[in-house]
Every structure is written in C-alpha cells, then in structure tokens.
Amino acid sequence: MKPQAAHRAGALPLRRMAGLPLHRGAHRRPGAALGGAALLVSLLALLPLAFVLWVTVQTGWATASALIFRPRVGELLVNTALLVACTLPLCILLAVALAWLTECSDLPGRRLWSWMAVAPLAIPAFVHSYAWVSLLPGLHGLAGAVLVSVLAYTPFLYLPVVAALRRMDPALQESAASLGVPPAGVFLRVVVPQLRLALCGGGLLVGLHLLAEFGLYAMIRFDTFTTAIVDQFQSSFNGPAASMLAVVLVACCLGLLALETWLRGAARYARLGPGAARPPRPVRLGWFTLPCLLLPALAATLALGVPAATLARWLAAGGGAVWRWGEIGEALGQTLLLSALGAALATLAAIPTAWLSVRAPGRLQRTLEGSNFIAGALPGVVVALALVSVTVRVARPLYQSVATILLAYALLFLPRAIVALRASIAQAPEELEEAAGMLGRSPLRALAAVTLRLAAPGAAAAMALVALGIANELTATQMLAPNGTHTLATSFWSYSGEIDYAAAAPYALGMILLSLPMAWFLHRQSQGGRGR
C-alpha cells in the first residue's frame, strides 16, 4: 500500500471512533471559491498574450507584415539566434564542470567554491555589464554580450545540476564501471542522461533571460528585441513598430518553451527499490588538482572579482560626494516598499493555483497553471506594453499608478510564487484541513487556519523570491512606475546612462547587498539533497 493511501486508511478508524462521516466529501471544501479565484488570476496573467494578439489584428495584415518582415527584424533575429546559440552551450559546459568538481571530486575547498558559483546571482545582470564596460570600454557587440551573459546566468544552470547530482544514485555509476566502462564513458552514458531534466529546465530559464534582458545588452551596445522595443516605445510611445517587435519576441519565447518541452521528452530517471541514497565516493583528482582549481578560481574572479573591483574603484574615485544619503535612502525605501507589496500580491495571487495543483489536479488545473507560467515567461517590456495600452484606453486613472506597477510585478513573478507555495502546500496533510471543516470551520477559514499556517515557510520563501526579482527589475518599472518613483535599479540606470559611473556605484552596491541573503538561501536549498 502507498504511504499516502495507508495514512488515509489509518485515519478511517479514528473517524469512525469519533462518529465522523467516513467519506471525503462529508464537508464543504474551498475548491469552488479557489477555482474561481485561480481562473481570474489566469485571465489576468494571459492579458499580455491577449494584447499581442489584439494588436496584431488591429494593425491589419498589410501593416503588420510590413513591420514584421523587414530587414531590422531579420537583424534582431540573427542577433538573438547567435546570442542563444553561443551563450547556452558555454553556460552548460561551465555549470556542469563546476557542479562535478564541487559535488563529485575531492577538490579542496568544495563548499567555498560552491558558494562562489552561486554568488553571482546577487549581482544584477546590468551591474555585471556596468562592471565590464567600466573595465574595458571597448567591450561591445556579440562577444561582450556572450561573455557577460555567461558570467551572469551560469548560476541558473549550476543550481539544478547540483541538485540533480545530489539526488543521483552512485550505484548506477559503480555498476557501469564494474562492467569495464571507462570514467569518461560512465560520465557521458550514465551521468549526463540523468542531468537531462536539470539541463533542460536551467537552459530554458537562461534562454528566457537572454530574450528578456534589457539593461545588460543596452549597456554592452548589443541590439536585441527587448532593447529595440524599449527604444521604439520611448521614441514613438507604443507605436505599431514596437508592438510588432513584441509579437516576434513573444513568438520566440513560446518557441523556446516548445523546444524545451520537446528536448525534455517523457523520460524520467528515478531510483526504484528499497534502501536509501548514499553519497558517492569523491573522485580523486591527484595530479589534476591544481589545474582543476583554476576553473572555479577563474570563474569566481571574472564573475565576482571584476564587479567587486569595479565598484571599489568607482566608490573610491567618487569619494564622499557620491553618497547622496537622501536620494539613496529614498530609492532604498521605495525599492523595499514596492518589493514588499509586490511580493505579497504575487504570493496571495498564487495561493489558489498552488492549492488546486496539489489538492485537485486535473486537466483544467494544468491549463490554468500553464497560463500563469506562459505569462511569467514573457519579457517585462511586453507586460508593460500590455498594461500601458489597457490603462490608456480603458482605465486612464490607473496609468502610471502604484496599482498598475504592482499588477505588472505580480504577473512577471507569479510562477516563482506558485512553485514555492506548491511544494509547501503538498507537505501539509489534507486530513487536517478536512478535520477543521468537520469541526465547523468554513472552508476558507479551514484553509487559512490549517493549510496556510503549515505552508508559512513556503509562503515566506515565495515572497522572498519575488521580492528579489522586483528589487532588480528595470524595464517594467521604468515604463509603469508613477512619476517621481526612484528605485535602486532605476536610479542606477539613470546615473549610468549619463556615464556617471561613480554616482551609480552606491546604487549597485545597494542592490547587491539586498540580493546576497537570497543568493545564500538558494545555495542552502541546493545543498539539501544529501549530506556531505
């Protein structure tokens, strides 16, 4: 009997002894109310996609085709294809190499190097480009974009690969080795196939970041669809050209999602049978220890040393004059306020979908959840364009209001909240929620008093994940925030746009200090597979 079935079977005598009904439907459940709420959230999440389709229809085929099938769009497509084709393989190779060295070998200082591989998450991508452009002013174009992208986004692949290596059963590798397969063959034929899901998921995340990023490529002077849309919007205020570029960008995002689904396939790699997972014996590097140390040391120097040295240089050059404490304090306060409100809204909006995915899985639930994830995969500039158009045409008083920017944050970071909440709700026993209903609590009160209280750690993690994204968000904030709003990210961008790198440095430092605790949290999460 399965553990969950056994648990429910064991609960039946207790219900019988207490004189409670034996069937699960004996009390009302909050499914209908939460289903309606999840449907409403999903409809809002599909607003950017609906906007793209509506703009295409309104523009007309003749105008739309003229704007889409033009040389400029072809140039942007080539840039996008080259950026993804060059960056993703390098990220995969670097992430797998670092993960294997820190998890499967006897590399000295493995825990330190593991943290160093994750720490670049605390540095926003556009701060990476700021550091490198300050160091090498001539670093522009595809080469600069690929270099900075690899350094900024490799941690998104390193984390899932480390988690997969920690869950891997070493008996499979030992069996292959006992059959005479050389070490390289064991790695390629046994280890790599089991990393397939991690590589697909991490690669998708990196690919979507490559499509959506604005600040990094604007500073490195490499044209992408996102930079072109922002430029077009600022010059013609959401003209047809910007909208049609958004159509092509959305098509690229959906194509990337479809490609990841196809590459991931239906294969699953799980350990069956009795027993517990055990850590593998670390591979002895021997004479290769020193050369192997060079890789994590070089990666840490480029991804962490260059930004740290650049910030120290500009802070020293600016002296006390760059510490405009009034402006910095205001930017920090507004960043914290928007992050807290946006995180709370996104987490609250994620509760219905997360609850349904655990308590009432089905085709409709998967459709609603998929809608939220598709919307979360769209770049911030597309979400901002959709909300600008809706508020200008339908709800003018909401244009450039706090409500609009908070809605944009919720739509952009809803998937993060759903994932964190879903895992936490799954660990809350359903029987406790049913028991609260049988004792007279209303369905929603039972949900709040029992399930959400037990899921509080997951809710806190969801809010922290969303707050991290909001604190470093740039494009949607620039386009939607009320006049007079200055976050750390927008203030940094304003000063760096004026080539006043010394004045921008305190804001970059502030974003890094705010992000470090979350990077450490993600690092600790990745270490939870098994002990070392």
Side-chain angles (χ1 to χ4, degrees), residues 34-385:
L34 292 180
L39 178 61
L40 177 61
V41 171
S42 298
L43 291 176
L44 287 174
L46 288 176
L47 182 62
L49 192 59
F51 158 76
V52 169
L53 297 176
W54 177 80
V55 166
T56 305
V57 173
Q58 288 293 110
T59 303
W61 174 245
T63 303
S65 60
L67 290 173
I68 292 175
F69 299 103
R70 56 188 172 119
R72 176 58 173 164
V73 176
E75 294 173 4
L76 295 174
L77 274 176
V78 171
N79 284 355
T80 300
L82 288 175
L83 179 65
V84 174
C86 294
T87 303
L88 266 181
L90 292 175
C91 286
I92 290 173
L93 289 174
L94 181 58
V96 171
L98 291 175
W100 186 87
L101 287 173
T102 56
E103 294 298 317
C104 302
S105 74
D106 63 347
L107 187 76
R110 288 187 294 165
R111 290 188 177 183
L112 173 63
W113 296 122
S114 179
W115 163 238
M116 291 294 182
V118 177
L121 283 178
I123 306 174
F126 50 85
V127 175
H128 278 282
S129 61
Y130 154 85
W132 279 92
V133 169
S134 299
L135 179 67
L136 301 173
L139 185 67
H140 300 305
L142 179 62
V146 170
L147 171 64
V148 180
S149 298
V150 169
L151 297 176
Y153 295 130
T154 294
F156 288 106
L157 266 160
Y158 173 84
L159 286 170
V161 171
V162 164
L165 287 174
R166 284 181 164 259
R167 291 192 301 265
M168 199 174 297
D169 186 358
L172 298 175
Q173 303 173 53
E174 294 168 0
S175 298
S178 67
L179 295 174
V181 181
V186 171
F187 181 80
L188 294 175
R189 296 168 58 181
V190 178
V191 176
V192 171
Q194 295 186 82
L195 298 178
R196 181 177 180 179
L197 298 181
L199 292 176
C200 287
L204 173 64
L205 190 58
V206 172
L208 292 175
H209 273 87
L210 296 178
L211 294 179
E213 178 59 37
F214 166 71
L216 187 162
Y217 303 121
M219 190 168 289
I220 216 79
R221 298 182 189 175
F222 181 73
D223 290 337
T224 66
F225 279 107
T226 302
T227 61
I229 291 171
V230 174
D231 291 342
Q232 192 71 49
F233 175 81
Q234 291 176 342
S235 62
S236 61
F237 192 69
N238 193 23
S243 299
M244 290 304 100
L245 289 176
V247 170
V248 181
L249 180 57
V250 169
C252 291
C253 291
L254 296 180
L256 198 59
L257 287 168
L259 178 62
E260 188 271 341
T261 301
W262 176 72
L263 291 175
R264 175 162 35 96
R268 295 293 182 268
Y269 303 93
R271 184 178 188 274
L272 300 177
R278 56 182 174 82
R281 290 189 295 271
V283 176
R284 296 187 178 277
L285 297 175
W287 292 100
F288 294 98
T289 299
L290 183 58
C292 289
L293 275 172
L294 293 178
L295 179 63
L298 179 61
T301 300
L302 297 180
L304 299 174
V306 169
T310 300
L311 284 178
R313 168 194 166 196
W314 284 118
L315 290 174
V322 300
W323 293 97
R324 303 178 176 93
W325 293 109
E327 295 181 14
I328 295 173
E330 181 183 1
L332 177 61
Q334 292 187 2
T335 301
L336 290 173
L337 179 62
L338 289 175
S339 298
L341 294 176
L345 179 62
T347 303
L348 185 64
I351 290 174
T353 302
W355 187 90
L356 289 174
S357 68
V358 176
R359 298 288 193 252
R363 184 173 301 176
L364 177 59
Q365 175 274 324
R366 288 193 294 270
T367 302
L368 295 177
E369 189 174 14
S371 301
N372 295 323
F373 277 86
I374 289 176
L378 299 180
V381 64
V382 175
V383 175
L385 283 175

Side-chain angles (χ1 to χ4, degrees), residues 438-466:
M438 293 173 183
L439 293 175
R441 289 182 181 262
S442 66
L444 293 179
R445 287 184 60 193
L447 172 68
V450 178
T451 303
L452 294 184
R453 181 173 297 179
L454 293 175
M463 292 185 65
L465 284 167
V466 175

Side-chain angles (χ1 to χ4, degrees), residues 361-440:
R363 184 173 301 176
L364 177 59
Q365 175 274 324
R366 288 193 294 270
T367 302
L368 295 177
E369 189 174 14
S371 301
N372 295 323
F373 277 86
I374 289 176
L378 299 180
V381 64
V382 175
V383 175
L385 283 175
L387 293 181
V388 165
S389 297
V390 170
T391 53
V392 167
R393 291 177 170 84
V394 180
R396 182 73 184 188
L398 294 179
Y399 174 66
Q400 283 194 326
S401 67
V402 174
T404 304
I405 187 62
L406 292 180
L407 177 59
Y409 290 152
L411 297 182
L412 286 170
F413 301 110
L414 190 60
R416 298 189 186 193
I418 291 175
V419 170
L421 274 174
R422 185 173 55 194
S424 190
I425 291 175
Q427 295 176 348
E430 183 178 0
E431 285 73 17
L432 294 180
E433 189 177 318
E434 294 180 354
M438 293 173 183
L439 293 175

